[in-house]
DNA sequence: CAAGAATAAATTTTATACTATTTAATTATA
DNA sequence: TATAATTAAATAGTATAAAATTTATTCTTG
């Protein structure tokens, strides 16, 4: 390898860790689309509903901390979910700065229809349980380091 | 654990592999921002330049295959890079359907200024070389499986 | 060699995302 | 307690992304 090639080695796309992360994330979300289309959710709406299926009611800030998203992204997502009838949005009585997001009965029912999605996606990704766990731990390690 | 909790276990955010992938990708790109701001590039513009630093000239389709992006995303990115003087865009003589993207002298010079970015980012991610390689391989394995 | 098929970009539409700013409400403090 | 500081959402502006459609060009094949 020439001296010049050596010098710029670290700037090659194939030597980045960020690029496969970015590409992999996008490709998986793309792969979700046909399944999510069946329940008329986008990926962002889906992970938002996931939080609400576990915790029936919370404010935008707490939701954003769980999803690593801020109100600039969440406000339009939540308005959309409200228009679909899956959530309600109302200011908290104790502190009116907080907008309380609460799942509706229809939102609860959607959970049933979403049950088929994780196994379908798992069969696309095709990692062994050991590989999945390894990847999971490495990703959360980076998230912890970066933040 | 109750039967109901058991049933919905797979729909919990903490049990997804896609979510940490998505979150990790975004957090890393966010971490790039201050470094990329110094050379006035966005992340998408940066990975585009990376390809062009390696291969001086190619058409939009080939570029898109390398970056997993289509012309809908690349066209505005390339117009921006052109306006900054880092690339030229011209139709190929052999086949006028192809738009040939070519790096300029200024684009080449930018490579020098970008040299400091990979080591700065590496120190943020804080994975050992072994962990990095493991992660790299798992990510490309998924990309290969999904596509 | 002309009509149709295929290909490459660009454009359109919808939905994210991030940063910075603004607005409204609450808390802290001088 | 009036004012400043802080906090939570919403908004504005810029930049991605994906899918679908359109346009222009080239290839295929009858």
């Amino acid at each position: 390898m020439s001296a010049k090639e050596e010098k710029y080695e670290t700037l090659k796309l194939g030597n980045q860790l960020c690029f496969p992360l970015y590409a992999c994330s996008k490709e998986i979300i793309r792969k979700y689309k046909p399944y999510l289309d069946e329940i008329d959710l986008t990926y962002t709406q889906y992970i938002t509903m996931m939080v609400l299926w576990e915790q029936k009611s919370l404010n935008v800030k707490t939701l954003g901390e769980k999803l690593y998203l801020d109100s600039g992204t969440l406000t339009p997502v939540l308005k959309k979910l409200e228009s679909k009838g899956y959530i309600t949005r109302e200011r908290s009585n104790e502190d009116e700065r907080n907008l309380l997001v609460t799942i509706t009965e229809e939102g609860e029912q959607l959970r049933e229809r979403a049950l088929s999605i994780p196994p379908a996606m798992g069969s696309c990704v095709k990692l062994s349980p050991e590989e999945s766990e390894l990847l999971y731990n490495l990703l959360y390690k980076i998230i912890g380091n970066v933040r």
Side-chain angles (χ1 to χ4, degrees), chain A residues 14-128:
Chain A
N15 291 334
Q16 309 303 311
L17 201 48
C18 66
F19 177 69
L21 255 169
Y22 158 84
C24 193
S25 168
K26 279 194 310 151
E27 292 304 310
I28 287 191
I29 289 172
R30 191 206 306 264
K31 205 75 184 179
Y32 265 103
K33 187 161 195 310
Y35 303 108
L36 291 175
D37 278 350
E38 287 182 34
I39 57 173
D40 190 32
L41 289 184
T42 64
Y43 181 74
T44 316
Q45 291 166 9
Y46 174 59
I47 59 176
T48 301
M49 289 308 297
M50 263 189 200
V51 173
L52 288 163
W53 286 325
E54 284 191 69
Q55 186 173 337
K56 307 310 181 192
S57 190
L58 72 180
N59 66 7
V60 173
K61 182 182 165 59
T62 310
L63 183 60
E65 282 165 359
K66 289 176 187 291
L67 297 174
Y68 303 106
L69 293 172
D70 68 5
S71 71
T73 302
L74 283 176
T75 296
V77 170
L78 295 172
K79 284 181 177 173
K80 202 69 202 272
L81 287 173
E82 183 185 41
S83 77
K84 290 180 182 180
Y86 297 139
I87 65 167
T88 59
R89 298 163 68 246
E90 48 184 345
R91 293 284 166 179
S92 159
N93 290 329
E94 300 94 68
D95 185 341
E96 296 222 349
R97 289 171 305 181
N98 287 281
L99 186 80
L100 216 59
V101 179
T102 307
I103 195 166
T104 62
E105 180 52 35
E106 285 135 286
E108 296 278 8
Q109 285 165 10
L110 192 65
R111 197 182 196 180
E112 285 300 320
R113 301 178 58 205
L115 268 177
S116 63
I117 296 178
M121 282 306 299
S123 66
C124 287
V125 169
K126 294 191 194 103
L127 289 192
S128 71

